[in-house]
Structure formats: C-alpha cells, structure tokens
Amino acid sequence: NVTEAYKGWLTYKKITGANWLNENNKWLRTIVVKDHSEVMKSAKNELVNAICEMTDEEPTLANAVESSYQILLTTSKDNNVESLDELNEDGYVIQTIHSNDRSYISLTGKTDKGVLYASFHFLRLIQTRTNLDNLNIKENPANQYRMINQWDNMDGSIERGYAGESIFFENNKFTTNLERIKDYARLLSSVGINAISINNVNVHAVETKLITDEFLPDVAKVAEIFRNYAIKTFLSINYASPMQLGDLKTADPLNEDVRQWWKEKAKDVYRVIPDFGGFVVKADSEHRPGPFTYDRNHADGSNMLAEALEPFGGVVIWRCFVYNCMQDWRDRKTDRARAAYDHFKPLDGQFHDNVILQIKNGPMDFQVREANSPLFGALTETNQILEFQVTQEYTGQQRHLCYLIPQWKEILEFDTFAKGQGTPIKRIVDGSTFENKLSGIAAVSNIGNDNNWTGHQLAQANLYGYGRLIWNPDLSTEEITGEWVRATFGNDPEVVEQITTMLHDSWPIYENYTSPLGVGWMVNPNHHYGPNVDGYEYSVWGTYHFADWQGIGVDRTVKSGTGYTAQYFKENADMYESLDSCPDELLLFFHHVPYTHKLKSGVTVIQHIYNTHFEGVEQAIGLNERWSKLKGKIDEERYDNVANRLEVQIENAKQWRDIINTYFFRKSGINDEKNRTIY
Ligand code: GCU
C-alpha cells in the first residue's frame, strides 16, 4: 500500500507554491550519468523517480554535460570540483559548478556508493527547499560500519518486534515480496546504512540452516537487492553449527575438525555470495552455545571463525552481551553490569584483525536510562562497534512516543577520559582514538511488515535519525529532526513545529513516568511492556532495584558495593563513586540511598518519584494536545495512527504512575508533599 505512511521520509510530494520551483526547476531537467554500475543505476533511478514526482516532469538522460543546467553523476575526477582528494570510500561532494561555458550540479563520489549517497542528499535538499544555485557540500561518513541488525526469525516473528511480522521471512521460508525488501534497502541507504544482518542473533533450528545450500540461494537474492543500494549482507550464525549441521560431536574452537568445518562452510557461502559481509555471533549469552562449554575463551571462539572468513575478506562481529543469566537474587556481590568488562577487557589485544566486538551502549540492556559501557575506552587494541537498539523494547514498544536521538547523542558525546579529557565515545567507536582497522555502529532495527514499517508512525524518526547520526555524530538533534519532519510531512510551519516539539520532549516524558533515576527495569517479565516494580526483583536475570522500606538503588561503589565504578577511568570512576558528584539521573544506578536523600535538584528521592510520575502523565496528555492541532493537515492514515497510539500511551502512563507511586508510598510510608491521589 504505497501511501505516505509507507513511503516514510522518501515521500516526494508534488511541489506546490511556485517560488522555489520557478527558481530551481532549471537544474532538474537533465541527468548525466558518467559511469555505469548497479549502484549508479540506483542513484539515477532515485533521482529520476523523485524529481518526476515532485515536479511532474521526467528528467531526460544524457551521456555528457553539453548544455547548461544539468545534474552530473560521476566518480571520475572532475577538475572543476574542489576537495575530491579529501573523500573517503563513501564520501561525496555536491557542488554547483559555474565554469566558463556552462553551469551544472556535480554529484561526485570517490566510488559509486558516494554518488548514491550524494543523490539522496540532493533529494533531501529539494524536500527542504534549499536553493540549488550555489551548492558546496562535502561529506565523509564518520563511521566505517553503519549497520542494522534484524532480529527476524524465519517463522516470520521478530524478537522484540513491534511493527508486525518480518519483511524477510514467513512460514520458515524467504518471502516472495522482494519489492518490499528493495524499498527497505532504499530507506536504509538514503540515510547511509551500509551493512545489514538479516536474522535474529538468537539463531534457532531453521535459521541455523541459512548457511546451507537449502537457503543460500535465497540469501544471495536478498544480498543482491542490498548490494544495489551499497549495503553488505551478514548472517547471524549458531556457534554449535558443526554439531547441528555437520556430524561433529563438538564445537570446540580449538578442535581441528571444527576449524576445518568452518573453513569449508565459509567457502560454500562465498561461492554463492562473493561479497558476503560475515557472521554476527551471540555466544555464551542467554543460553546460546559458545566456547565456554569447552573451557575456551571468546578470543579462541571468535578467532577460529575469523580464520575461516579471512581468505574471503569477511569479518566476525562478536557480541559482548555475555553475563550470568542464572543469578541468585540473594547474592548481592555478583553484578550484571560488570560482566562485559570482566569478560572482555582481559582479552584486549588477542583478537584477530577481522574480529569486531559489538558492545551495547550500556552495561545492562537498553534501558530508558543507564550508565555507558565502561568497555568504551578500555579496549585499546580491539576492533569494536557500538550497539544501539532502535526497536523500543524498554522505551514504549512503539506504542509510546520515545524519540531516541537525544539519548544516543548523550551517549556518543560522553567523555570516557580514556586518553585524557576529550575522548568521547563517538571518537572511540569511529576508530580514530585507537586507530582501529574496523569500527562503527550497529543497531537493532525497529521495522516490520506494518504498512508504515515502524508501527508508530513517528517511530520512523528513530530509524532515520539513527542513520543520520552515525553518518555524522556531530549533527545536532535539531538538525536531524528538522530534516526528518520536513522530508516526511512537508514544510507547513505548524506541522514542523508541533512534531518537532513532540519528538524532542518525548524521551524525558517517557523517563518521567517509568522507572526513576537510572534504576531501570520495573517491567513485566518476558514481554517487558508495562509496569511491574518487582517483576524482575527475585529473578535470575541480575536486574534488581533492592527497594525496601527505607531506600532503593544498587550500590555499585568500590567502597561498599559491587566495585563496578572502578571499571571507568579515574575522572568518571570518582564522579560516580561519590554521592556528591553522581548525577541525579543515574543516582539509583550507582547508589543505594534512603528515600529521604536529597537530590541536587533539591527534592528528596521519594518526592522526585511522585513529582515525575504525576508530571509524566500530564506531559503525555500534552503530546496528544499538540497532535490534535494537526488534524486535517496530515493524511488520515498517519494522523489516526499517531492519535490512537497517544491514547494508549496516556492510559498506560497513568498505569505506570499509579503503580509506581503506590508501590513506593506503601514501602516508605512517606506522604506526597502535595497530597495528590496515591492509592
Ligand atoms: C535482550 C532482549 C533479548 C535479546 C537480547 C540480546 O535481553 O530482551 O530479546 O535477545 O537482549 O541482545 O541478545
């Protein structure tokens, strides 16, 4: 159903209001394509189709710049274009050239990928009504790997998916709807994504066979679609494959037969997909098999796979989400937050150079607020990429509005002090701080086969913003939001203003009515939706808040707690260790304090809990009021989608408010200073 909801930010509405078009239409009539490749063809098609939709005129194609006012797509050196030498593999220059005999707009890339990215950028300029007469833009992506992880299962379900079923698989087969996959490739490529793993990190029985002849031809078809949009395809693999697919009795990484098995397997895969990206691996994590079974460590495990992939230029992306998920809640010494660092820091320097460790942004699990992983900065000799979660597992499951760009910005800007002041996470994961060979950012996708891709129409902004932010982490949230709103909904100032404000307010609102002060969790077990303060309190998962009648929080200090704070560099370790300097928003992540403890904001912890929960509901109601102003200005499909979800959000926020407030009132016996209703 190719509506605007479906087209997302690649909505190219007919340009009305003659001004911009009168001045700029001259540039849009002819396209000259210099080199020929599938990626170049994609670039050309994107331009032709979009310009046609926006201007009602189909641009003509030419082979050389002959007359004035043309768009030139090229990877060859154009002497009129400045600074081509400063481009990296995916970089590009967009420049309006006024030479002696003619004027034209050059979209030049070092490679055809750069030209494709330039084309999408150029279209964005039109969507946001930029004057084209004097363009001079140079772009290089900051991150080398800009990746999306699908958590899709072959039965069509999606782990933590909130927007329908898989667009890749159904009934344990590949889909026949390849058009939809192509449209996904277009959306991803338009924001610079260049790698994708298409199946869940939890690799079950059928998915284990993705690397066999049964499914490789299908994988190849999907890889071709993505390749044409400059995206490399990866698969998540099952570490125990040699036992499940082969006839080996072991998956021990140091066993010669196992090593040989994987080498043969890599050959099979590359025979079918010569530019295959590599394997994503979740091992020894949440009951998945891994090297620990054989008393081997994660360097042994990943290096074995790396050797198999190395002859073909493939890489192993090895996840660091390794912790004890069978913890005894009575044991106050074991701290899940410590786990990734404790497992991987001692192995720094032991990984082959085609192994990349994938590290979640925080040490727990994509909470609305948690500390940043202390592994960033601690691994100085290991390739690494950071993992975000675009799918809103713990942030409202795409029924609530929660714009995550501000959260990711904060994380990327966080100063680790790894090489003294001024070593932010963004400069570690882009490979520049430690000169890593391979580096970048990955994230769990938020799309499914709902017509609008993301369930909540406005959750598209998280996917768009993810791509834009990791292309250039120096972009501000405001710049990213501005682009997305205008590309998606057009340039009506009222629409732009209301939606922008809604997005920017939404993460703090969600934080207000859910779990307080960085303590996290307090959700219903398994599906993780809705409030349940003790849902995980007496569980095996290592996710506790330790609330009693006097206080709450996890003591992670060196002085009296789990010692987790020592995993940070001194400046941060000191800041978190001391109650005086620990920031309010992470107080309960690092400290166990009485309810009467006074925050820097001046209120007590208990009063803060009451205040934010009452306020959060009011703010959610405010979101709805803003949206309702846009009735009639947005098509019904998109308007109703958001309106309906905001209703759900408000009801659910009330539920959160009343359960959290009541729980802590009953525990503490302390009254709300403002005497509001608590049950
Ligand atoms: C979370 C999530 C799981 C997922 C896991 C992972 O725990 O709830 O569904 O498999 O993260 O990242 O591997």
Side-chain angles (χ1 to χ4, degrees), residues 151 159-160 162 200-202 282 285-286 288 319 321 323 336 360 364-366 387 389 393-394 444 521 526 528 536 541:
W151 280 3
E159 177 136 352
R160 311 309 176 187
Y162 310 107
N200 189 0
V201 287
N202 296 314
K282 172 174 178 175
S285 165
E286 301 183 331
R288 302 316 299 157
R319 298 177 78 236
F321 189 54
Y323 68 98
R336 170 166 163 181
K360 286 191 182 186
M364 297 300 279
D365 197 11
F366 305 129
E387 178 176 336
Q389 194 184 43
E393 177 176 359
Y394 295 100
V444 186
W521 310 97
N526 305 320
H528 298 166
Y536 276 105
W541 296 95

Side-chain angles (χ1 to χ4, degrees), residues 401-644:
L401 180 63
C402 190
Y403 185 48
L404 292 166
I405 311 309
Q407 186 199 54
W408 300 333
K409 262 293 312 158
E410 261 186 44
I411 293 162
L412 293 171
E413 296 299 336
F414 178 75
D415 197 346
T416 64
F417 289 88
K419 279 192 167 178
Q421 189 169 20
T423 323
I425 289 181
K426 68 179 174 186
R427 298 279 173 257
I428 291 167
V429 299
D430 72 6
S432 61
T433 301
F434 298 112
E435 291 175 12
N436 303 104
K437 187 173 149 226
L438 307 173
S439 57
I441 301 185
V444 186
S445 174
N446 65 347
I447 69 110
N449 69 1
D450 278 5
N451 197 51
N452 68 9
W453 301 91
T454 51
H456 198 305
Q457 179 70 39
L458 301 184
Q460 286 182 358
N462 284 329
L463 187 60
Y464 179 90
Y466 165 68
R468 295 290 293 133
L469 182 64
I470 68 169
W471 175 280
N472 178 6
D474 296 331
L475 285 174
S476 68
T477 296
E478 290 70 24
E479 286 170 292
I480 294 171
T481 317
E483 288 175 8
W484 178 77
V485 175
R486 275 134 60 83
T488 307
F489 289 101
N491 292 281
D492 178 332
E494 167 82 358
V495 175
V496 172
E497 143 129 34
Q498 296 302 348
I499 298 179
T500 302
T501 311
M502 288 172 69
L503 290 172
H504 289 171
D505 291 349
S506 61
W507 172 46
I509 294 176
Y510 188 79
E511 183 176 27
N512 274 349
Y513 60 75
T514 56
S515 66
L517 300 166
V519 75
W521 310 97
M522 302 191 176
V523 291
N524 284 303
N526 305 320
H527 58 71
H528 298 166
Y529 188 76
N532 184 343
V533 182
D534 285 337
Y536 276 105
E537 195 55 17
Y538 307 101
S539 77
V540 293
W541 296 95
T543 49
Y544 317 117
H545 53 67
F546 302 116
D548 58 21
W549 64 284
Q550 287 174 305
I552 177 176
V554 191
D555 186 349
R556 295 196 156 105
T557 63
V558 171
K559 196 166 134 253
S560 52
T562 68
Y564 166 79
T565 56
Q567 293 184 344
Y568 292 92
F569 286 87
K570 187 167 185 327
E571 290 81 350
N572 290 328
D574 289 349
M575 170 176 68
Y576 293 135
E577 176 78 13
S578 150
L579 255 184
D580 295 335
S581 51
C582 182
D584 280 353
E585 71 269 15
L586 285 172
L587 183 72
L588 304 182
F589 190 91
F590 285 103
H591 296 272
H592 186 93
V593 297
Y595 295 113
T596 51
H597 173 83
K598 233 191 197 149
L599 296 169
K600 293 195 181 49
S601 67
V603 299
T604 60
V605 167
I606 190 73
Q607 195 55 43
H608 173 92
I609 293 176
Y610 297 150
N611 289 352
T612 50
H613 286 77
F614 283 114
E615 212 177 289
V617 172
E618 294 313 311
Q619 292 170 310
I621 293 169
L623 290 174
N624 201 21
E625 283 163 7
R626 284 190 188 280
W627 187 253
S628 63
K629 292 190 183 140
L630 305 182
K631 196 170 170 75
K633 287 180 173 265
I634 289 173
D635 59 284
E636 253 174 49
E637 181 185 5
R638 293 190 293 181
Y639 181 84
D640 291 346
N641 168 275
V642 176
N644 293 337

Side-chain angles (χ1 to χ4, degrees), residues 32-89:
V32 180
V33 186
K34 264 303 171 57
D35 330 74
H36 297 280
S37 71
E38 290 303 314
V39 171
M40 239 16 203
K41 211 192 269 172
S42 300
K44 179 204 72 185
N45 288 342
E46 290 298 322
L47 287 171
V48 169
N49 295 338
I51 291 174
C52 201
E53 281 186 57
M54 288 188 284
T55 65
D56 261 352
E57 270 181 72
E58 175 153 348
T60 50
L61 297 171
N63 292 320
V65 183
E66 276 159 356
S67 56
S68 246
Y69 301 123
Q70 297 178 320
I71 303 169
L72 168 67
L73 305 189
T74 184
T75 56
S76 351
K77 204 163 165 96
D78 175 340
N79 290 329
N80 293 311
V81 177
E82 296 153 20
S83 63
L84 280 187
D85 296 337
E86 296 160 26
L87 294 186
N88 67 26
E89 279 301 293

